[in-house]
Amino acid sequence: MMENHENNMNNRQNYRETVNKMGKKEFTLIKMQEYGFWPKNLPTPYEKQENETKEQYAQRKDLLEKYQKIIDEIANLYEEKDKINERLREFQKKYDETWDYEKIRLDVSKIIMEESIARRAERKKQREFEKRQRSEAWEKEKADKIVFIGKGYSSLLQDTETDDEKLLSQELPLIKDDKELANFLGIEYKKLRFLVYHRDVVSVDHYNRYTIPKKKGGVRNIAAPKSILKNSQRKILEEILSKIPTSNYAHGFLKGRSVVSGAKAHTKQPELLINMDLEDFFPTITFERVRGMFKSFGYSGYVASMIAMICTYCERMKVEVRGEEKYVKTSNRILPQGSPASPMITNIICVKLDKRLSGLASKYSFVYTRYADDMSFSFMNDNSDLNIGKFMGLVSKIIEEEGFNINKNKTKFLRKNNRQCITGIVINNEEIGVPRKWIKRLRAAIYNANKVKNNGDLPSSKVINEISGMTSWIKSVNARRYEDIINDAMDLINSQL
């Protein structure tokens, strides 16, 4: 036994001397060559390399990386072996003169248990240290950068890749992080953090909320952004959204287009006019769709997520909790009606929808236009072979594939013998106009106001404002056709100045 021990000591001494003389890595590589792990015809990196090709160099580097792990493992095994042998010698010395195996077993078990407890305590201490480090790093990162914008909305914040070339080609501002976004919007950084963070329950809401009645019953929810948010949305509209091309078939919320231009795009007195309405138009456009739109411009997921938070909101219900007013989320984030950016966002998102529907309409000899959520298809030819059912089925399919739904209760098929209106404009007369009852209402208002004036009194400002608004409307639709009534209205209005 003593002889084996002396041989081991001599082997270790020889090994150490050889390693110290050659170096651990070179020695290991030579041993690897001896045992066939390293090709003998391939020089080691410690020899002078002459006439070595790029391919040979690449192969050698690849092998170095591949076997570096093996080198380290071999070194660790030798080190571990030395530690084990040292412990065995300690045990051998301690128990060399006793044959009390039960005592040896108990002592060894006790030592193992103590070492195990010490290792667990050390590991626990290390985990707590690492956890504390991560927490401190996270707090520092949160202080320096927006890293969370609300549950369900932060999934793309790790995407920080911006397509500079694409943004510049569209003349869009380069915005690469939260600091640059705050500078772009012209607001303090802490204000940006407040605007882009979503909570399900809040004490302070960014919107003034109210409802307006619909023409045919029910109410429409309107959310008007407060000043800081509204200014940010307007900046996004003017500097980003307004530079993105929209469809030629869209006539809502675009410069030089209106309900009048939309009506004029159709032939007067068509054989058939189909009016359709998209159901829950603004609520259908979700945060995810808005974020995807900004990402398609070239912005990173990080920046697109924050801009989308500014441009969307969630419907809320006001409740009282312990005497304090709270606003509780009742929907996921959607496009608000009342934001200056929302109309343009709808037009951009609907570009593909307009393209597909206009192509279908052209195939069936229809003319197509869209004003917000109102779509119109007019057909001029008296074609008895036209399959309306098939056409409407294809329209429905396209609309559903683009993420919208048709309000079937508002779909109307209007022939020549019906009054054919597009967004309030009558098109089945010789020239476009407004409904007759509308003109009758204006004539009655002018007549009653003149009657009050002739009696020596002044018509109320509310009546004058109503007449002024109605007059401006018919003037924008067809000033020549309604010239007489426009003159009567202007005489009345001017007499009150």
Side-chain angles (χ1 to χ4, degrees):
M1 189 172 181
M2 290 298 295
E3 186 178 350
N4 290 336
H5 177 65
E6 289 177 2
N7 289 335
N8 289 335
M9 291 291 290
N10 290 334
N11 289 337
R12 281 202 302 275
Q13 185 65 30
N14 293 334
Y15 164 75
R16 286 173 181 154
E17 288 177 0
T18 305
V19 170
N20 291 335
K21 184 177 180 181
M22 299 182 64
K24 185 187 293 185
K25 289 187 177 181
E26 185 175 3
F27 175 77
T28 305
L29 279 167
I30 289 174
K31 288 297 180 184
M32 288 170 68
Q33 279 184 330
E34 290 179 5
Y35 295 116
F37 289 109
W38 187 281
K40 291 187 177 181
N41 61 345
L42 187 69
T44 71
Y46 309 102
E47 297 174 351
K48 185 178 180 180
Q49 309 302 309
E50 294 181 357
N51 303 321
E52 186 178 27
T53 66
K54 290 183 178 180
E55 290 76 13
Q56 290 172 326
Y57 176 75
Q59 184 183 9
R60 184 160 56 84
K61 294 292 288 183
D62 182 60
L63 284 171
L64 271 174
E65 293 175 4
K66 184 176 180 181
Y67 292 115
Q68 181 63 49
K69 185 177 179 180
I70 297 176
I71 295 170
D72 294 337
E73 286 177 354
I74 291 173
N76 291 334
L77 286 172
Y78 274 109
E79 185 176 348
E80 190 175 341
K81 179 183 176 184
D82 286 345
K83 289 180 180 178
I84 292 171
N85 287 332
E86 184 66 30
R87 292 296 303 277
L88 287 173
R89 285 194 298 274
E90 290 176 4
F91 280 123
Q92 183 181 8
K93 183 178 180 181
K94 184 175 182 180
Y95 299 108
D96 195 32
E97 297 179 356
T98 181
W99 293 95
D100 189 347
Y101 294 115
E102 183 61 23
K103 182 179 185 305
I104 295 173
R105 187 186 66 79
L106 291 174
D107 286 354
V108 171
S109 298
K110 182 179 177 182
I111 292 169
I112 291 173
M113 180 61 70
E114 289 174 351
E115 290 179 349
S116 177
I117 292 171
R119 283 196 301 271
R120 286 201 299 268
E122 185 63 29
R123 285 197 297 268
K124 182 179 179 182
K125 183 179 178 181
Q126 182 64 25
R127 286 196 299 270
E128 290 175 350
F129 174 72
E130 291 172 354
K131 182 179 179 181
R132 194 162 54 250
Q133 279 190 320
R134 289 195 300 269
S135 178
E136 290 172 357
W138 174 249
E139 291 299 324
K140 185 177 185 302
E141 188 177 7
K142 285 199 296 184
D144 295 339
K145 179 183 179 183
I146 296 173
V147 294
F148 185 71
I149 56 177
K151 185 178 179 181
Y153 302 104
S154 305
S155 60
L156 293 187
L157 293 185
Q158 301 304 315
D159 172 17
T160 57
E161 187 174 347
T162 303
D163 191 336
D164 295 4
E165 186 177 342
K166 190 172 184 179
L167 290 171
L168 291 172
S169 69
Q170 300 171 96
E171 299 183 352
L172 298 179
L174 289 177
I175 305 171
K176 297 192 175 184
D177 57 32
D178 48 357
K179 303 291 194 309
E180 291 185 8
L181 179 58
N183 291 334
F184 166 73
L185 296 175
I187 59 176
E188 296 179 15
Y189 182 62
K190 63 180 182 180
K191 292 286 186 184
L192 176 66
R193 297 182 77 109
F194 181 54
L195 288 181
V196 302
Y197 186 64
H198 169 86
R199 293 181 178 88
D200 289 348
V201 181
V202 297
S203 299
V204 179
D205 195 15
H206 297 308
Y207 288 84
N208 296 311
R209 300 167 187 267
Y210 57 94
T211 60
I212 58 174
K214 294 182 179 180
K215 290 182 180 179
K216 296 186 178 180
V219 295
R220 190 184 304 276
N221 293 320
I222 303 296
K226 294 178 182 178
S227 59
I228 294 177
L229 179 59
K230 186 175 183 179
N231 291 337
S232 298
Q233 291 171 344
R234 184 174 287 112
K235 181 76 171 179
I236 291 168
L237 169 65
E238 294 172 351
E239 300 296 327
I240 298 177
L241 298 173
S242 63
K243 296 179 180 179
I244 304 298
T246 56
S247 162
N248 292 329
Y249 305 95
H251 291 267
F253 321 112
L254 295 167
K255 188 176 181 180
R257 302 186 206 175
S258 64
V259 291
V260 177
S261 66
K264 286 182 175 179
H266 294 264
T267 305
K268 291 185 288 293
Q269 299 178 324
E271 289 292 330
L272 174 64
L273 174 65
I274 305 173
N275 286 331
M276 304 176 70
D277 183 85
L278 295 176
E279 189 173 35
D280 297 328
F281 184 51
F282 279 78
T284 306
I285 300 176
T286 61
F287 165 85
E288 289 76 15
R289 296 181 76 173
V290 176
R291 178 178 62 185
M293 179 194 72
F294 283 107
K295 199 169 185 311
S296 72
F297 298 164
Y299 291 108
S300 66
Y302 182 71
V303 171
S305 296
M306 289 186 287
I307 298 178
M309 291 298 282
I310 292 172
C311 293
T312 59
Y313 87 129
C314 64
E315 294 177 343
R316 295 184 182 274
M317 177 177 63
K318 185 162 66 174
V319 298
E320 188 173 311
V321 180
R322 298 176 183 176
E324 184 180 357
E325 286 187 347
K326 299 283 187 180
Y327 297 89
V328 181
K329 160 192 164 182
T330 59
S331 76
N332 292 324
R333 293 189 76 90
I334 54 176
L335 205 60
Q337 296 188 57
S339 162
S342 292
M344 185 59 75
I345 289 174
T346 65
N347 280 331
I348 295 170
I349 286 179
C350 286
V351 165
K352 188 178 177 184
L353 172 71
D354 291 338
K355 182 178 180 180
R356 294 184 67 186
L357 288 178
S358 63
L360 177 67
S362 177
K363 181 178 178 181
Y364 282 81
S365 300
F366 276 89
V367 173
Y368 163 76
T369 60
R370 180 182 59 80
Y371 184 92
D373 56 350
D374 294 319
M375 300 180 298
S376 297
F377 299 85
S378 65
F379 183 76
M380 192 59 198
N381 299 326
D382 184 10
N383 186 349
S384 57
D385 295 331
L386 177 64
N387 189 331
I388 296 296
K390 181 180 179 182
F391 175 74
M392 291 300 296
L394 292 172
V395 169
S396 299
K397 184 173 182 291
I398 289 172
I399 289 172
E400 289 174 5
E401 288 176 350
E402 293 301 321
F404 298 99
N405 296 302
I406 297 174
N407 188 338
K408 295 179 180 179
N409 294 328
K410 291 188 176 181
T411 300
K412 295 181 180 180
F413 298 85
L414 304 170
R415 297 284 181 178
K416 274 187 173 182
N417 58 327
N418 304 120
R419 187 185 68 186
Q420 296 174 321
C421 280
I422 297 177
T423 55
I425 308 295
V426 179
I427 66 168
N428 62 332
N429 292 321
E430 291 184 1
E431 50 186 332
I432 65 170
V434 298
R436 290 177 183 175
K437 66 178 182 180
W438 217 87
I439 297 298
K440 288 181 180 179
R441 181 182 162 196
L442 178 56
R443 288 191 188 280
I446 295 171
Y447 174 80
N448 291 329
N450 280 324
K451 189 175 180 180
V452 170
K453 188 181 80 167
N454 293 336
N455 288 335
D457 295 325
L458 290 175
S460 68
S461 58
K462 181 181 178 181
V463 169
I464 295 299
N465 288 337
E466 183 180 357
I467 292 172
S468 178
M470 294 176 74
T471 303
S472 296
W473 167 238
I474 62 172
K475 189 175 181 180
S476 68
V477 173
N478 195 333
R480 187 185 62 79
R481 180 177 178 181
Y482 300 112
E483 183 178 1
D484 291 342
I485 192 171
I486 290 171
N487 290 336
D488 291 343
M490 294 308 299
D491 288 341
L492 172 65
I493 293 168
N494 291 331
S495 70
Q496 302 303 307
L497 298 177

